[in-house]
Amino acid sequence: MTTPRTFRSLVAAATTALLAPALAGPALAESPSHVRATSTARASVDALPAVTARAETPVLHDDDAGGNADADDPAIWRNAAAPGRSLVVATAKEGGLRVYDLDARPVQTIAAPPAEHEGEAPGRFNNVDLVHGMRLSSGRADLAVTSDRGHDRLRFYRIDRDRAGGPLVDVTDPAAPAVFSRDQAEIDEQRTAYGLATWTDPSSGRSYAVVSRRERTTLTLLELLPAAGGKVTYRTVRTVDLPSSFRLPDGTSWSPCAEPDELPQVEGMVVDPADGTLYAGQEDVGIWRVRADLRGTPELIDKVREYGVPGTYDEQTEECTPGADPGFGGTRLTADVEGLTLVTEADGDGYLLASSQGDDTFAAYDREREDDNEYEGGFRVAPGTTLDGSEECDGAAALNAPLGSRYPRGLLVVQDGHDSPADGDRPSTDFKFVDLGKVLDALDD
């Protein structure tokens, strides 16, 4: 996501303090320890290996002329019969869904549903994930599942690569319930379905989605169910809340600064299909590990650098002013923690990748829980000779499987929050396609 103004101000201030010593004024010059920390943080980012994009999608503009389309989250669907004809399905918020081929060319555009009544929010597709081989009343099908934040619903699209009119067709049950809200008044408050990760239980064959709630710490487990006429619906299994307040080593209590009544939300999530582990990025806190059935106790496996930094919210400016850093944060992630994705290997090894949005990098953790998801390194998607890199990345998706001649070692797709060159002051976003083999080589060096 794009960080809300309150957190964006705090994160920007903290990130500038950490990563922009050249901009330091007298207040920074008065603190030699701060200058040393700044230099260390900047050096750690610059030392990360860089990879470049092989292709990029057409730019999207989040304004009236651009249909309020804002690139957010991708998923990679592999065409087993013809891997070179695989697809990338991606959310564009009010711009709906976009489908691309492996050259990043548009294949299909699906509009988000409009507001049902005047004054209500229109559809807004936030995150997307895939379900493979779900049994519907019309037969088994691969599905793209997206969180419709505007209407507090999940929406489902059957994937048929060669279907006339485009590979995706809407199979959402019209009677599917709101995910969190009890009525339209609650939906209008927009504390609605936000982040999304799907998984299928190998022991039962049942498919699920874990969905987070905007501006809340809530996660809910939904079972995906076939409905009449080849449609798909869902039911709530259980709901849990992650912490919103944290006890620091000095005995004090800390919560990320935010507008009144806003809690630190989760967006980026992914489930490891091998063991049913959910990894969830609480944007201004860090990465949690918990069972995907939402049983058991969540564990915080890494923290953002800003963890523990106090902030004061100013109602006049609607911004947060950060205080002194007590030094309780992590060293690899700069808020927000955003897109989480897995690079899986046949032997159970691989990586958990996380977008460190605040410093335009990606962190890689060991996939195996036996190794406690230890940090393995990081990388940047940097500008190349013809394409720009990825800045303020939201969603990311990796697939470690051959995808024809273009990506014989797999593909990484990342959102770019600031496409360059920009079209004046228009908000410009897109998706970058990166050779996953290059990423793995960079992490192995």
Side-chain angles (χ1 to χ4, degrees):
M1 67 165 274
T2 300
T3 311
R5 185 179 177 187
T6 50
F7 267 139
R8 181 164 57 245
S9 303
L10 175 57
V11 170
T15 303
T16 298
L18 284 169
L19 301 179
L23 301 178
L28 293 182
E30 293 171 1
S31 174
S33 62
H34 178 86
V35 172
R36 287 195 297 271
T38 298
S39 302
T40 300
R42 180 71 261 172
S44 67
V45 171
D46 291 341
L48 292 178
V51 297
T52 56
R54 177 169 291 182
E56 67 178 358
T57 62
V59 66
L60 300 176
H61 296 294
D62 188 10
D63 55 24
D64 290 342
N68 297 312
D70 185 10
D72 196 311
D73 190 46
I76 306 167
W77 176 78
R78 186 172 188 266
N79 186 338
R85 301 186 69 242
S86 298
L87 300 169
V88 174
V89 182
T91 58
K93 295 184 180 169
E94 286 186 38
L97 283 179
R98 298 293 198 271
V99 184
Y100 305 101
D101 66 16
L102 293 182
D103 289 318
R105 297 175 302 198
V107 172
Q108 185 180 11
T109 296
I110 295 176
E116 295 181 5
H117 302 95
E118 185 177 354
E120 295 177 0
R124 186 178 175 91
F125 290 175
N126 216 65
N127 280 192
V128 64
D129 207 346
L130 304 177
V131 175
H132 298 279
M134 182 170 170
R135 189 187 297 276
L136 308 183
S137 62
S138 56
R140 290 193 178 275
D142 290 351
L143 302 174
V145 185
T146 185
S147 53
D148 180 353
R149 163 179 152 191
H151 291 142
D152 197 22
R153 300 291 197 280
L154 295 191
R155 301 197 182 274
F156 304 90
Y157 297 86
R158 191 179 67 239
I159 303 172
D160 180 353
R161 182 64 174 88
D162 297 315
R163 188 184 77 91
L168 267 58
V169 61
D170 190 351
V171 292
T172 309
D173 183 355
V179 176
F180 294 105
S181 307
R182 292 171 294 182
D183 52 33
Q184 185 61 45
E186 281 199 4
I187 293 175
D188 292 343
E189 293 176 359
Q190 288 295 283
R191 290 195 170 120
T192 48
Y194 203 62
L196 169 76
T198 59
W199 64 291
T200 298
D201 185 342
S203 63
S204 67
R206 295 177 178 176
S207 295
Y208 299 89
V210 180
V211 184
S212 67
R213 189 174 192 180
R214 181 172 179 260
E215 298 178 354
R216 289 292 179 263
T217 67
T218 305
L219 304 178
T220 192
L221 178 67
L222 305 177
E223 182 181 1
L224 310 184
L225 300 168
K231 304 294 187 180
V232 184
T233 187
Y234 45 87
R235 70 175 186 91
T236 300
V237 178
R238 67 183 55 88
T239 297
V240 301
D241 291 308
L242 294 175
S244 60
S245 180
F246 303 86
R247 179 68 62 182
L248 299 177
D250 62 2
T252 62
S253 180
W254 170 80
S255 295
C257 182
E259 291 186 25
D261 200 35
E262 284 188 13
L263 300 180
Q265 67 192 9
V266 169
E267 184 175 16
M269 295 188 290
V270 67
V271 175
D272 191 331
D275 60 7
T277 298
L278 169 70
Y279 297 95
Q282 194 171 16
E283 294 176 344
D284 298 279
V285 177
I287 300 174
W288 293 92
R289 178 178 66 199
V290 66
R291 284 173 47 167
D293 62 7
L294 302 186
R295 298 183 186 273
T297 302
E299 301 172 86
L300 192 59
I301 65 171
D302 203 358
K303 305 180 186 73
V304 298
R305 289 183 172 91
E306 297 84 356
Y307 182 92
V309 175
T312 302
Y313 178 72
D314 187 326
E315 292 188 1
Q316 296 296 321
T317 63
E318 297 183 344
E319 294 182 349
C320 284
T321 301
D325 186 349
F328 300 138
T331 60
R332 301 140 186 155
L333 299 169
T334 300
D336 295 354
V337 180
E338 287 289 346
L340 300 186
T341 187
L342 285 173
V343 177
T344 61
E345 297 179 2
D347 62 359
D349 205 352
Y351 298 101
L352 168 69
L353 304 182
S355 167
S356 173
Q357 191 181 71
D359 60 5
D360 303 329
T361 67
F362 296 84
Y365 302 85
D366 195 310
R367 174 192 177 193
E368 295 182 298
R369 290 192 62 167
E370 307 88 85
D371 294 325
D372 204 29
N373 300 120
E374 65 181 353
Y375 178 72
E376 295 282 355
F379 62 95
R380 299 171 289 138
V381 179
T385 55
T386 58
L387 301 178
D388 64 317
S390 172
E391 298 178 84
E392 292 193 17
C393 173
D394 275 338
L399 182 61
N400 188 17
L403 295 174
S405 59
R406 297 174 188 81
Y407 299 99
R409 298 177 62 195
L411 173 64
L412 172 66
V413 180
V414 299
Q415 189 256 13
D416 177 12
H418 293 285
D419 185 57
S420 299
D423 182 2
D425 294 330
R426 300 182 72 190
S428 302
T429 58
D430 65 3
F431 296 95
K432 299 296 194 283
F433 288 24
V434 180
D435 182 345
L436 182 61
K438 301 289 188 183
V439 174
L440 296 179
D441 289 344
L443 293 173
D444 287 342
D445 285 347

